[in-house]
Amino acid sequence: MLAYQIPSATARAVLRDIAKPEPGPGQIRVEIRACGLNFADLLMQKGTYQDTPPAPFTLGLEIAGIVDAVGPGVVHFGPGDRVAVYSGQGGLAEFGVFDADRAVMLPSSCSFEEAAAIQIAYGTSHIALDHRARLQPGETLLVTGAAGGVGLTAVEIGRLMGATVIAQARGADKLTVAKVAGADHLIDADEDLRQRVLDLGGADVVYDAIGGDVFKAAFRATNPEGRLLPIGFAGGEVPQIPANHLMVKNLTVIGVYIGGYLKFRPEIVRNSFETLFRWHAEGRIKPHVSHVLPLSKVADGMDLLRARKSTGKVVITP
């Protein structure tokens, strides 16, 4: 089978022909129909992601497909089942073996491409805004990088939770995407973010996917007792947070890493995914997929992420 792998710690990712894996105890083998790309895939290629596996390994963190075989002890899934799996790795291949407890059954209303686009982006935003920040109806939510893979889902979920959503993104096209997702106010990346947010009454919750100067401006526009969620650092700079400023305004900075919950509270992730797939079946969320590419074009998909030329998700269909 074909797989997009990092062959060694010093080698670039390449498409390789490898043996089809066999499921072990508690595992399922999935014929992969779709795999969502994530910024973490880029970091893994540089070896800078916090959960980069030892080489050789196959890239691809979230997949959807059809169960092809099950290992000993698996009782909740069988061949032919449509599933979504937050795999962590192994998704950019024709087949993959994954722990069954990372899988959820996929409703018939959800396509494989949509399922591959929902898990990490929507799961991160749902857990961040609901479980961690406790976003309340009537509060103001600021989302930076609002047309990106996770930012766009934060706009959509924030609106579903009853918040007033301020979306910041670069350019009219990306701001239009955020508006369609439910943003109430739009701020171009070239504008003075701090002043614009303050003019709108300040932010109660900040969902920041950019870092650097954008986080600093958002920090200064946060209302007293506000909560800040540093989700990612697409701008390249991890912000340093002045603790004395936290004290003055009684602010809270909240860490969120969806993958971490798989290690100590996996039910948080599973419950979130079940909620999200139910919302999808009810028509309450609709993933935005800007590009669908075959496995042979996965490098092009990575380039789209790297150059920030995509909106929503890029999905690979092996």
Side-chain angles (χ1 to χ4, degrees):
M1 70 171 198
L2 292 176
Y4 192 68
Q5 284 200 329
I6 302 282
S8 70
T10 58
R12 296 174 60 115
V14 292
L15 198 59
R16 306 174 73 194
D17 193 357
I18 64 172
K20 186 189 295 186
E22 294 296 327
Q27 293 183 323
I28 58 175
R29 186 171 67 199
V30 179
E31 180 186 348
I32 299 170
R33 297 296 182 88
C35 177
L37 296 189
N38 292 274
F39 193 72
D41 291 306
L42 300 179
L43 297 180
M44 282 189 184
Q45 292 183 67
K46 296 191 296 184
T48 57
Y49 188 60
Q50 60 263 30
D51 274 345
T52 301
F57 70 93
T58 300
L59 291 160
L61 281 76
E62 55 184 335
I63 67 101
I66 299 173
V67 175
D68 162 73
V70 301
V74 175
V75 295
H76 298 298
F77 300 100
D81 285 342
R82 301 172 78 250
V83 294
V85 186
Y86 179 14
S87 57
Q89 61 172 299
L92 289 171
E94 294 177 309
F95 291 85
V97 164
F98 312 107
D99 291 342
D101 60 6
R102 288 196 174 202
V104 295
M105 203 71 78
L106 193 59
S108 59
S109 60
C110 192
S111 71
F112 293 119
E113 291 83 2
E114 288 175 316
I118 283 175
Q119 296 169 77
I120 292 178
Y122 278 91
T124 295
S125 294
H126 182 239
I127 289 171
L129 296 176
D130 183 54
H131 179 68
R132 297 293 283 146
R134 307 293 185 187
L135 179 67
Q136 299 299 307
E139 289 191 313
T140 295
L141 168 68
L142 168 63
V143 180
T144 69
V150 290
L152 198 59
T153 65
V155 171
E156 195 172 358
I157 290 175
R159 186 64 183 271
L160 273 175
M161 294 178 68
T164 296
V165 180
I166 304 172
Q168 182 254 24
R170 184 172 298 282
D173 291 345
K174 290 187 176 182
L175 289 171
T176 298
V177 170
K179 183 174 179 60
V180 171
D184 299 284
H185 305 284
L186 306 174
I187 301 176
D188 193 281
D190 291 331
E191 298 182 72
D192 185 334
L193 178 64
R194 173 180 175 269
Q195 192 57 54
R196 282 293 314 279
V197 173
L198 288 175
D199 289 344
L200 292 167
D204 301 304
V205 175
V206 172
Y207 183 105
D208 175 52
I210 304 300
D213 290 339
V214 171
F215 180 89
K216 294 174 186 175
F219 185 96
R220 297 175 64 200
T222 305
N223 291 329
E225 293 194 329
R227 290 89 74 201
L228 297 104
L229 298 154
I231 298 297
F233 316 109
E237 180 187 340
V238 178
Q240 303 304 302
I241 299 166
N244 58 325
H245 291 185
L246 294 177
M247 294 170 59
V248 170
K249 294 174 71 174
N250 291 287
L251 301 178
T252 303
V253 179
I254 304 171
V256 182
Y257 171 45
I258 185 174
Y261 278 113
L262 293 174
K263 299 175 182 178
F264 66 93
R265 289 196 66 188
E267 73 277 6
I268 296 292
V269 178
R270 188 167 55 250
N271 292 343
S272 176
F273 286 177
E274 289 173 352
T275 296
L276 292 168
F277 284 124
R278 185 180 73 251
W279 282 357
H280 180 274
E282 295 169 353
R284 302 178 70 188
I285 61 172
K286 183 172 178 57
H288 176 83
V289 178
S290 64
H291 296 79
V292 177
L293 302 171
L295 189 59
S296 61
K297 300 289 186 181
V298 65
D300 293 342
M302 296 290 186
D303 286 341
L304 288 170
L305 293 189
R306 192 176 291 110
R308 300 187 202 173
K309 291 184 178 179
S310 61
T311 56
K313 293 290 287 191
V314 176
V315 173
I316 303 298
T317 53

